[in-house]
Amino acid sequence: MFLFMTILMGLLGILFIFLGWRLWKKEQITLIHDYHYTKVVEADKKAYTEKMGKAMILMGIGIFLTGLLCFLTDSAYGWIAFAVCFTGGLAIMIHAQLKYNHGIF
């Protein structure tokens, strides 16, 4: 069971990291649903995609570490990494949404 969770969480973490990198470095704003960036001014799109991408990378690291730590320690310590990284990434995303899109939706 732990091996399946490790593989699943590892792949999901890598996917989040890859998508976050595409958002941040390639500024591929279309990875986000269009209603999340409809009010973002063209001049702010670079900063918006940077924050959203970094937040997604942070979430991906947390997901990846969850699977790895649960496998290595055979305990639930990995979920602490998940909670910290996912909550931090979500807070950064909400802040970026409020700052650049002037609302969550």
Side-chain angles (χ1 to χ4, degrees):
M1 184 65 176
F2 276 121
L3 183 60
F4 174 74
M5 187 180 81
T6 300
I7 293 170
L8 182 66
M9 296 297 270
L11 291 174
L12 192 59
I14 290 170
L15 177 66
F16 267 63
I17 292 168
F18 174 73
L19 292 175
W21 177 79
R22 297 285 301 193
L23 267 171
W24 176 20
K25 292 296 185 180
K26 300 290 185 178
E27 298 175 17
Q28 193 172 1
I29 199 167
T30 56
L31 291 173
I32 305 170
H33 200 282
D34 61 349
Y35 63 79
H36 285 300
Y37 62 88
T38 53
K39 298 175 191 167
V40 177
V41 184
E42 190 67 37
D44 291 336
K45 285 192 179 179
K46 181 176 176 65
Y48 176 75
T49 56
E50 179 181 348
K51 285 191 185 239
M52 294 296 275
K54 286 180 179 180
M56 191 170 279
I57 289 172
L58 181 62
M59 291 173 158
I61 290 169
I63 294 168
F64 185 82
L65 285 176
T66 301
L68 184 65
L69 289 174
C70 286
F71 181 74
L72 293 176
T73 63
D74 198 25
S75 67
Y77 288 124
W79 291 103
I80 295 171
F82 176 82
V84 170
C85 291
F86 199 86
T87 304
L90 190 61
I92 294 169
M93 282 184 170
I94 290 171
H95 179 265
Q97 280 296 109
L98 292 174
K99 182 175 181 179
Y100 297 109
N101 198 45
H102 310 292
I104 302 275
F105 299 106

